[in-house]
Amino acid sequence: MSLITRIVRSAADGDAAPPYASNRLLAALRPDALAALAPHLVLVDLPAEAVLFDAGDDVQHTYLPCGPTQVSLLVVTADGQEIETASIGLEGAIGGVVSAGFKPAYGRAVVRTPGHAFCIPTQKLEEVKTATPLIADMFDRYADVMIAQMMQLAACNALHPIEQRVGRWLLFAHDRAGDEPIRLTQETLAQMLGVQRTTISAVARTLQDAGVIDIGRGKVTIRDRAGLERRACECHDAVEAHFRRVLPKVET
């Protein structure tokens, strides 16, 4: 079942304008298109490790993460291992991106970095897309970007050494966190990348010794973005370049 956590602000609240600029898909919409979508958006809390939907669930809600909030799409193996196949943050949306109706989820969606997200019933989103072609086009383009990310990650996981893969993941997280530390444990990163925790610990020490990152308890601070980019593979840049081509009006 889809999880909606504590409501922070609904469309009926009049105390302050909802922070639509904190999700770049919403920020890129023309005022008339945003006006068609806004009455149905609710700002909610997404706590760390919350499961938004699981394999086989009917995806009843769509989430648009804000700020540093980050959600992982995972494939869960028969023996319970979780492998990340995509990561979604303030640049996108998760659940119901393409269509409504009973479309069972193939994998699990888990909140990795807690924060806020705008939430809309998937059926209502489908109605708005039908009535507003501009919104439908934007979500179709974003679906293309999601497929590209999954394809690139499949190649990355098969071909690139673990230090480069860690660098790629941290670059995506840094894009979303900005100057704030990335809330992440080494155990979680090991699970997502499908390696042992000791392997991640060794990579983290190497990066910290090189002055690229600073490791705290459950947090990672990027100290040298350029240095991290040099140590990462080309996968982050490849996905970002495709994003800019497909969604040129959305900042990444």
Side-chain angles (χ1 to χ4, degrees):
M1 295 178 62
S2 181
L3 168 72
I4 294 184
T5 62
R6 185 178 67 85
I7 293 176
V8 177
R9 182 179 298 151
S10 71
D13 295 334
D15 57 337
Y20 297 125
S22 59
N23 176 274
R24 289 172 177 165
L25 288 182
L26 295 178
L29 287 173
R30 290 193 327 225
D32 57 333
L34 181 59
L37 193 61
H40 313 292
L41 295 171
V42 175
L43 191 64
V44 299
D45 271 335
L46 296 183
E49 304 306 315
V51 177
L52 302 184
F53 54 78
D54 216 332
D57 286 351
D58 183 10
V59 181
Q60 297 181 2
H61 294 89
T62 298
Y63 298 87
L64 294 98
C66 301
T69 309
Q70 191 165 325
V71 179
S72 290
L73 282 180
L74 308 169
V75 168
V76 184
T77 63
D79 60 358
Q81 294 188 72
E82 297 179 339
I83 306 298
E84 185 179 73
T85 59
S87 177
I88 300 94
L90 79 170
E91 78 290 340
I94 184 167
V97 171
V98 179
S99 61
F102 179 62
K103 303 293 184 184
Y106 185 75
R108 178 179 295 166
V110 178
V111 178
R112 291 307 186 193
T113 302
H116 295 156
F118 285 101
C119 178
I120 181 172
T122 302
Q123 180 60 48
K124 181 57 66 175
L125 175 61
E126 190 69 11
E127 294 171 6
V128 173
K129 287 194 292 184
T130 299
T132 312
L134 183 65
I135 293 176
D137 178 69
M138 185 177 71
F139 275 91
D140 286 346
R141 289 171 180 267
Y142 179 68
D144 178 276
V145 172
M146 282 289 297
I147 293 171
Q149 183 187 160
M150 292 178 178
M151 293 173 65
Q152 192 70 43
L153 261 61
C156 183
N157 290 337
L159 299 173
H160 294 149
I162 187 60
E163 181 174 319
Q164 290 187 336
R165 292 164 57 200
V166 169
R168 177 257 298 165
W169 198 97
L170 290 176
L171 286 173
F172 277 119
H174 189 233
D175 290 344
R176 294 148 184 170
D179 294 332
E180 296 296 319
I182 300 164
R183 298 178 63 177
L184 176 72
T185 66
Q186 294 182 29
E187 182 177 0
T188 295
L189 186 56
Q191 290 174 349
M192 290 190 292
L193 296 181
V195 298
Q196 297 294 321
R197 186 186 182 283
T198 53
T199 301
I200 295 297
S201 296
V203 171
R205 284 196 301 271
T206 298
L207 293 175
Q208 181 164 263
D209 290 345
V212 174
I213 66 173
D214 188 20
I215 306 167
R217 179 171 294 182
K219 295 181 180 180
V220 177
T221 301
I222 307 301
R223 295 298 185 193
D224 180 3
R225 169 79 184 214
L228 184 61
E229 290 173 345
R230 288 192 294 271
R231 290 172 174 268
C233 52
E234 72 271 18
C235 294
H236 170 270
D237 289 347
V239 172
E240 289 299 302
H242 186 68
F243 194 108
R244 289 190 292 271
R245 287 194 296 269
V246 176
L247 285 163
K249 295 183 179 180
V250 181
E251 292 184 13
T252 58

